[in-house]
Amino acid sequence: GKLNLAYNHKFANGYTVSKSPLNGIADVAKTANTPVYFLNGKIYVQKITASKKKKIILSPETGLTSSPTPSGDGAYKGMQMEAQCLMRYDIGIGTVANISSGFKKYGDCIIIGGVREFTSSTATVTFQFVPLKVYNSVQKENLSKDKKKSAKDRVKAKKDANKIAAEKKRRRSRKK
């Protein structure tokens, strides 16, 4: 896999992993506003668009078997959708696809998750996607919030360190 954080978060008081290594990696990645995902048995810590250059077309003519339906928890401004298509190995996390159903054109979208399903008679991919502009906007907002929080944490850590240093100085002066 690969490791490429969206920004280098500095832990003012250090960071100690007290859980499984995978959960520790996920916590550090979340702090740096970078998703963690698995692809073909490898772990990736990077923007999901980092390794995808090719854009594909998904429509009823190219194998889309269901009209997109709303899904998700509102993290993408209510724009997360789910659809299904015939098995295509070029569909995966981070794939940019121009999606259109028979009724609506969704434009350039990014695949953010999905499941491959094999039965004795069919092979399909059920996937979740978000319009690329919405995805980029949400990622930018989250990064900005995380950087502001990180800056506040550094200021607090510095104040705490100054308080500790002042307390130590007072204790030393009392001992004399």
Side-chain angles (χ1 to χ4, degrees):
K2 291 186 179 183
L3 172 69
N4 187 6
L5 298 173
Y7 78 99
N8 287 331
H9 175 84
K10 292 182 179 136
F11 292 93
N13 294 324
Y15 182 81
T16 303
V17 176
S18 59
K19 44 185 113 175
S20 76
L22 191 56
N23 286 338
I25 290 169
D27 285 352
V28 170
K30 183 177 180 184
T31 303
N33 195 39
T34 308
V36 176
Y37 60 96
F38 293 90
L39 190 61
N40 299 326
K42 294 181 182 176
I43 185 171
Y44 290 85
V45 181
Q46 65 181 13
K47 287 196 238 177
I48 63 175
T49 56
S51 63
K52 304 292 181 178
K53 304 294 184 232
K54 186 174 86 171
K55 180 168 50 172
I56 62 172
I57 296 172
L58 289 173
S59 66
E61 293 78 24
T62 61
L64 193 65
T65 59
S66 71
S67 291
T69 56
S71 70
D73 58 4
Y76 292 100
K77 302 177 182 178
M79 299 295 293
Q80 183 174 331
M81 306 292 279
E82 182 172 278
Q84 188 175 56
C85 70
L86 297 175
M87 181 58 66
R88 290 185 57 164
Y89 290 98
D90 54 356
I91 294 176
I93 293 174
T95 299
V96 176
N98 188 297
I99 300 174
S100 62
S101 67
F103 309 105
K104 184 175 179 183
K105 294 184 184 217
Y106 295 88
D108 287 347
C109 299
I110 186 161
I111 310 293
I112 59 171
V115 176
R116 298 183 193 282
E117 301 168 287
F118 298 93
T119 66
S120 59
S121 59
T122 62
T124 59
V125 179
T126 302
F127 59 94
Q128 295 78 40
F129 68 90
V130 177
L132 190 56
K133 286 181 181 177
V134 172
Y135 176 82
N136 288 336
S137 170
V138 168
Q139 293 303 310
K140 188 175 181 181
E141 288 171 12
N142 289 344
L143 182 60
S144 177
K145 287 177 190 174
D146 290 345
K147 283 183 175 181
K148 285 178 184 174
K149 184 181 180 304
S150 178
K152 285 180 183 177
D153 289 348
R154 279 195 303 273
V155 168
K156 184 182 180 305
K158 189 169 186 169
K159 285 180 182 177
D160 291 347
N162 289 342
K163 283 181 185 177
I164 291 169
E167 182 63 30
K168 283 182 181 179
K169 190 174 181 180
R170 272 193 299 254
R171 286 180 191 164
R172 276 187 252 145
S173 65
R174 281 190 221 158
K175 288 181 180 180
K176 291 180 181 182

